[in-house]
Structure formats: structure tokens, C-alpha cells
């Protein structure tokens, strides 16, 4: 199975401080993968590099077969919109937009018309069980519902790679479990590669693979 992510000797520095030290990592298409480690270990930096929100100082970065090591900001934005979906701990929904229009928003960046974008967005809300909440605003939704809207928004461009940064961090245990099961179902049904940063060992155990980041270095293994 081909790799959707391949990092070779990736180093990332911030000023004089080295955040990641010559990290090499390959993640095949369709895998579920947890990135774990203490605060300040470099796991968020690693996710930002994979998500093309940041660039390496040395090494090579391939995403979906394309060399993105020295890609321009515009090239990275195109790749993010074409192949990547993002889910964040804080949901990052726009409060003045309905659930439907929050989900439709990424399609507007592709030049899709409002009517067509809303039609696709309605389908993605149905996929996460929130079609009945399409006209609700974020303030009218529970935390779990807001995260489902955020997941639907991440899916609306039909990405091959879903990146989740502590997606259950603001949720109670029961709701967190529901969100995890939704993400795993999407991985199975859509063959999505799922890469999730988490501090929660229980979440990590459900992934096929667990990558430990410590002091900017990576050790690899499978979740128990």
C-alpha cells in the first residue's frame, strides 16, 4: 500500500531551539495513527508539518506522493484544500454561520456556488448524524454536536487524509467515545487515513499505530 505521508530526516527549528530532530516516518494510505507525547515534546509541530501549516528546516516531506518540502504558501494551500481535512480541539466554527454554511465554507474556496456547496454540505452533515441541525448556529449546539459539524466540514472536500489535533480534548468521556467511533467509522467506510494527536491513552489504544514523540524524536509502535 502506498504511503500518503513520508518524512525523511525532517528537522524543525524555532530560533536556536530544535523542535524536531531528523525525524523519519512513513504512514500508508488508510491507516489510523495516534501521535502521543508530553506537552512540548514536538507532537503538534509534527502534525503542523504533515498538515502543511509549517515547513521543515531540513529533510524531505512527501504528501500524497508530492514533494512539499519547499512548496510555496500558495502550493501548500492548494494541497491542503485538495487532500487534507483538519479537526481541532476548539472546533473553529464561525459563530455567525449556520452548521450548514460552516460545512459548506471550504467549497467556497474552490469557487463552488452556494447552492451546490450547501447540497454537498447537507450530505456530509447527514454522514455525521446532524442533518436535523443544519440550520442551527454553533451556540445552539452541544460540544459533541459542534465537533461533528467540524468533522463534516473537514470531510466536505473529500480529503484522503484527516488530521485531528486533540479532537476529544474539550469533551466528556461519553461524548469523546462517540466522536472516536465516528472517526474510526469514517476511516473504515471512506478509506481515510486518520492521524490524531492525543494525550488520552484510551484514545490512542484504538488506533492501529501509535507514534511516541519525546524531546523532538520519534519512536514507533502499534497501540496495545
Amino acid at each position: 500500500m502506498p504511503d500518503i505521508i513520508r518524512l525523511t530526516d525532517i528537522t524543525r527549528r524555532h530560533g536556536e531551539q530544535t523542535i524536531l530532530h531528523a525525524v523519519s516516518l512513513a504512514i500508508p494510505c488508510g491507516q489510523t495513527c495516534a501521535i502521543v507525547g508530553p506537552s512540548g515534546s514536538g507532537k503538534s509541530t509534527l502534525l503542523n508539518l504533515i498538515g502543511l501549516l509549517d515547513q521543515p528546516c531540513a529533510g524531505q516531506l512527501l504528501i500524497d506522493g508530492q514533494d512539499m518540502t519547499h512548496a510555496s504558501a500558495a502550493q501548500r494551500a492548494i494541497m491542503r484544500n485538495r487532500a487534507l481535512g483538519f479537526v481541532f480541539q476548539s472546533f473553529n466554527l464561525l459563530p455567525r454561520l449556520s452548521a450548514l454554511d460552516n460545512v459548506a465554507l471550504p467549497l467556497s474556496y474552490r469557487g463552488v456556488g452556494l447552492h451546490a456547496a450547501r447540497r454537498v454540505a447537507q450530505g456530509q452533515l447527514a454522514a455525521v448524524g446532524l442533518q436535523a441541525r443544519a440550520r442551527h448556529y454553533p451556540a445552539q449546539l452541544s460540544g459533541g454536536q459542534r465537533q461533528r459539524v467540524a468533522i463534516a466540514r473537514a470531510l466536505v472536500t473529500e480529503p484522503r487524509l484527516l488530521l485531528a489535533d486533540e479532537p476529544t480534548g474539550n469533551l466528556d468521556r461519553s461524548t469523546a467515545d462517540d466522536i472516536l467511533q465516528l472517526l474510526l467509522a469514517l476511516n473504515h467506510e471512506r478509506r481515510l487515513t486518520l492521524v490524531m494527536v492525543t494525550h488520552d491513552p484510551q484514545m490512542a489504544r484504538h488506533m492501529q499505530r501509535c507514534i511516541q514523540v519525546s524531546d523532538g524524536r520519534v519512536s514507533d509502535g502499534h497501540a496495545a
Side-chain angles (χ1 to χ4, degrees), residues 63-83:
I63 301 294
D64 204 15
Q66 296 193 37
D67 190 340
M68 303 300 293
T69 311
H70 304 295
S72 68
Q75 289 169 328
R76 285 183 285 137
I78 290 168
M79 176 62 89
R80 283 196 303 268
N81 189 260
R82 182 180 72 82

Side-chain angles (χ1 to χ4, degrees), residues 138-173:
Q140 299 171 307
L141 301 173
S142 69
Q145 289 171 335
R146 277 179 275 171
Q147 193 60 290
R148 286 175 181 267
V149 172
I151 292 169
R153 180 186 56 192
L155 297 174
V156 78
T157 56
E158 298 187 354
R160 301 183 65 227
L161 172 60
L162 187 61
L163 304 177
D165 192 359
E166 298 279 9
T168 62
N170 284 339
L171 306 175
D172 62 65
R173 171 56 64 191

Side-chain angles (χ1 to χ4, degrees), residues 73-155:
Q75 289 169 328
R76 285 183 285 137
I78 290 168
M79 176 62 89
R80 283 196 303 268
N81 189 260
R82 182 180 72 82
L84 308 181
F86 294 87
V87 180
F88 301 97
Q89 178 177 350
S90 57
F91 319 130
N92 289 7
L93 301 177
L94 297 181
R96 295 185 180 181
L97 293 184
S98 66
L100 183 67
D101 286 339
N102 264 288
V103 174
L105 192 60
L107 295 177
S108 70
Y109 300 141
R110 291 185 173 183
V112 177
L114 180 60
H115 180 73
R118 282 176 169 171
R119 185 172 63 250
V120 176
Q122 187 70 58
Q124 298 299 346
L125 280 173
V128 300
L130 278 187
Q131 62 269 41
R133 298 287 190 271
R135 300 296 176 183
H136 287 61
Y137 290 86
Q140 299 171 307
L141 301 173
S142 69
Q145 289 171 335
R146 277 179 275 171
Q147 193 60 290
R148 286 175 181 267
V149 172
I151 292 169
R153 180 186 56 192
L155 297 174

Side-chain angles (χ1 to χ4, degrees), residues 164-183:
D165 192 359
E166 298 279 9
T168 62
N170 284 339
L171 306 175
D172 62 65
R173 171 56 64 191
S174 176
T175 305
D177 288 343
D178 288 344
I179 292 297
L180 175 64
Q181 292 307 313
L182 172 61
L183 291 170

